[in-house]
Amino acid sequence: MTFQELKELDSQYVLQTYGRNPIAIDHGRGATLYDVEGKEYIDFASGIGVLSVGTANPKWQAAIAAQAAKLGHISNLYYSEPYIRLAQQLCTRSGMAAAFFASGGGEANEGMIKLARKYSFDRYGEGRGTVLTLRNSFHGRTITTLAATGQEVFHNYFFPFTEGFRYADANDLNSLQDVSGHDVCAVLVELVQGEGGVLPLDKDYVQELAQLCEDRDWLLLVDEVQTGVGRTGSLFCFQQYGITPDVVSFAKGIAGGLPMSGILTNEKCRGVLTPGTHATTFGGNPVCAAAALAVLEILDEQTIADVREKGDYLRGRIEELDLPCLGKTRGMGLMIGVEVSEDFSNKELCARLNQAGLLCLTAGAGLRLLPPLTITREEMDKGLAILKDELS
Ligand SMILES: *Cc1c(COP(=O)(O)O)cnc(C)c1O
């Protein structure tokens, strides 16, 4: 079908909940994609940070095909090898103790919030169910994770929201103390706020926050839905902050494009969720778990170390271009924010780049780049050339 045909059918049969670019992607390889008319695009978006090993990675494809031919699904009333091996890999490489698998990021965060509330209930009884989160955060689109999201624009239309969340300013421990109280059970943070504008938290702040959580017996919940799985140049971002969360969530990049998410707990929290208290039908799906195992095999220590270098390279080259519409860059690894100068609209610049053949994203008031972690130098240079030509 042509783009026009697809667009018309979409508007007829699909709920119009997305602001889509006028592009229909058909296929690709690595960080190079093609639309239905054969036009080439360089991928600086990875979906939204999902295609961690690029499009149609051969090892990833082979793992999925082999698992699909063997066992495509089995309920969680039975054991199966892929999710068990995946849990082992994730725990071994992160230093965490045990995993629970789900399908999406918001769902994983709901699991963390449930775990924190039950941890507190088991120890202290009722009345200690409040979770502190940070302004400008993003934790998902379910009713509860919208409430957890510290941005007023998300607290509309869908009343009543789940109660039990209060918000503090990022990088400000006093602000957190001001909204704390005897009803608090946990603090939930993104170490690099993604949707909010690619804003890394200060290392000192995070370490002091971890100490405060320990002192008060609040659980430290880290949302690594976007920062996890090598994106920032370590398997999990918390590994670069010198802290260990009580619970960490992951999703987007874990299975390289298939829907999978989950949480990892430390030793202290492994026994909180007991049979019957938490479950999900698709959690730990064998095909998704096999894909995730392939992703983790591709993302070995060297490949993840290269992520930091690639990020430095992209940021350096973008700042060198010194384009009037762009400002400074920030972020960690291949999670990059680019400031957009006043008088320019990030949405408009992003749309123009997409149209010119460079898929990218916005976040906050800037541009956001989340290329596949396996992107090659040649693909980065092609993308940078498009950026330069389009925005000069
Ligand atoms: C994308 C994202 C989510 C939501 O994930 P879904 O898979 O869309 O439910 C939650 N937290 C963070 C930090 C995210 O980037």
Side-chain angles (χ1 to χ4, degrees), residues 104-107 109 138-140 190 195 223 225-226 251-252:
E107 190 190 7
N109 287 340
F138 181 79
H139 297 297
E190 299 161 87
E195 304 299 315
D223 177 350
V225 166
Q226 192 159 155
K252 291 191 164 88

Short mmCIF file of all heavy atoms in Angstrom, two decimals, residues 104-107 109 138-140 190 195 223 225-226 251-252, ligand 1:
data_model
loop_
_atom_site.label_atom_id
_atom_site.label_comp_id
_atom_site.label_asym_id
_atom_site.label_seq_id
_atom_site.Cartn_x
_atom_site.Cartn_y
_atom_site.Cartn_z
N GLY A 104 5.10 -4.02 29.66
CA GLY A 104 5.34 -2.61 29.34
C GLY A 104 5.95 -1.87 30.51
O GLY A 104 5.95 -2.36 31.65
N GLY A 105 6.45 -0.66 30.23
CA GLY A 105 7.13 0.11 31.25
C GLY A 105 6.21 0.56 32.37
O GLY A 105 6.53 0.46 33.56
N GLY A 106 5.03 1.08 31.99
CA GLY A 106 4.08 1.52 33.00
C GLY A 106 3.68 0.37 33.91
O GLY A 106 3.58 0.52 35.14
N GLU A 107 3.52 -0.79 33.31
CA GLU A 107 3.14 -1.99 34.07
C GLU A 107 4.25 -2.40 35.04
O GLU A 107 3.98 -2.79 36.19
CB GLU A 107 2.85 -3.12 33.08
CG GLU A 107 2.23 -4.34 33.69
CD GLU A 107 2.20 -5.52 32.72
OE1 GLU A 107 2.78 -5.42 31.61
OE2 GLU A 107 1.60 -6.55 33.08
N ASN A 109 6.41 -0.36 36.37
CA ASN A 109 6.42 0.62 37.45
C ASN A 109 5.28 0.39 38.44
O ASN A 109 5.44 0.58 39.64
CB ASN A 109 6.35 2.04 36.87
CG ASN A 109 7.65 2.45 36.22
OD1 ASN A 109 8.71 1.87 36.51
ND2 ASN A 109 7.61 3.43 35.33
N PHE A 138 8.59 11.18 34.35
CA PHE A 138 7.58 10.45 33.57
C PHE A 138 7.64 8.98 33.95
O PHE A 138 8.70 8.35 33.87
CB PHE A 138 7.80 10.60 32.07
CG PHE A 138 6.75 9.87 31.27
CD1 PHE A 138 5.49 10.42 31.09
CD2 PHE A 138 7.02 8.61 30.75
CE1 PHE A 138 4.51 9.72 30.39
CE2 PHE A 138 6.04 7.91 30.04
CZ PHE A 138 4.78 8.47 29.86
N HIS A 139 6.51 8.42 34.39
CA HIS A 139 6.52 7.03 34.83
C HIS A 139 5.49 6.14 34.14
O HIS A 139 5.39 4.96 34.46
CB HIS A 139 6.36 6.96 36.35
CG HIS A 139 7.48 7.62 37.08
ND1 HIS A 139 8.79 7.15 37.00
CD2 HIS A 139 7.54 8.72 37.86
CE1 HIS A 139 9.58 7.93 37.73
NE2 HIS A 139 8.84 8.90 38.25
N GLY A 140 4.72 6.69 33.19
CA GLY A 140 3.81 5.83 32.43
C GLY A 140 2.44 6.44 32.24
O GLY A 140 2.16 7.57 32.67
N GLU A 190 13.68 8.65 38.10
CA GLU A 190 14.47 8.31 36.91
C GLU A 190 15.84 8.96 37.13
O GLU A 190 15.91 10.14 37.47
CB GLU A 190 13.89 8.95 35.65
CG GLU A 190 12.51 8.59 35.23
CD GLU A 190 11.97 9.66 34.26
OE1 GLU A 190 12.22 9.53 33.05
OE2 GLU A 190 11.31 10.62 34.70
N GLU A 195 11.58 11.67 29.19
CA GLU A 195 10.54 12.47 28.55
C GLU A 195 10.61 13.92 29.01
O GLU A 195 10.30 14.84 28.26
CB GLU A 195 9.15 11.91 28.88
CG GLU A 195 8.94 10.44 28.51
CD GLU A 195 9.07 10.17 27.04
OE1 GLU A 195 8.52 10.94 26.25
OE2 GLU A 195 9.74 9.18 26.68
N ASP A 223 13.30 3.99 38.19
CA ASP A 223 12.64 3.72 36.92
C ASP A 223 13.69 3.77 35.81
O ASP A 223 14.10 4.86 35.39
CB ASP A 223 11.53 4.76 36.69
CG ASP A 223 10.82 4.62 35.35
OD1 ASP A 223 11.29 3.83 34.50
OD2 ASP A 223 9.80 5.31 35.15
N VAL A 225 13.22 2.35 32.84
CA VAL A 225 12.51 1.95 31.62
C VAL A 225 13.23 2.50 30.39
O VAL A 225 13.36 1.83 29.37
CB VAL A 225 11.03 2.40 31.68
CG1 VAL A 225 10.36 2.30 30.31
CG2 VAL A 225 10.28 1.55 32.70
N GLN A 226 13.72 3.74 30.49
CA GLN A 226 14.42 4.34 29.36
C GLN A 226 15.94 4.25 29.49
O GLN A 226 16.65 4.06 28.52
CB GLN A 226 13.98 5.81 29.21
CG GLN A 226 14.42 6.44 27.91
CD GLN A 226 13.60 7.67 27.53
OE1 GLN A 226 14.07 8.53 26.81
NE2 GLN A 226 12.37 7.78 27.98
N ALA A 251 12.37 -1.77 30.68
CA ALA A 251 11.39 -2.13 29.63
C ALA A 251 11.99 -1.84 28.26
O ALA A 251 12.79 -2.64 27.77
CB ALA A 251 10.07 -1.39 29.82
N LYS A 252 11.65 -0.70 27.72
CA LYS A 252 11.95 -0.31 26.33
C LYS A 252 12.96 -1.21 25.58
O LYS A 252 12.57 -1.95 24.69
CB LYS A 252 12.38 1.15 26.29
CG LYS A 252 11.22 2.09 26.62
CD LYS A 252 11.52 3.54 26.34
CE LYS A 252 10.27 4.39 26.31
NZ LYS A 252 9.85 4.93 27.61
C1 LIG B 1 8.52 5.03 28.32
C2 LIG B 1 8.61 5.18 29.79
C3 LIG B 1 7.64 4.63 30.63
C4 LIG B 1 6.38 3.96 30.10
O1 LIG B 1 6.65 2.80 29.41
P1 LIG B 1 5.47 2.11 28.54
O2 LIG B 1 6.14 0.87 27.98
O3 LIG B 1 5.08 3.09 27.49
O4 LIG B 1 4.37 1.78 29.48
C5 LIG B 1 7.84 4.72 32.00
N1 LIG B 1 8.94 5.31 32.51
C6 LIG B 1 9.89 5.85 31.72
C7 LIG B 1 11.08 6.47 32.34
C8 LIG B 1 9.76 5.82 30.33
O5 LIG B 1 10.69 6.38 29.56
#
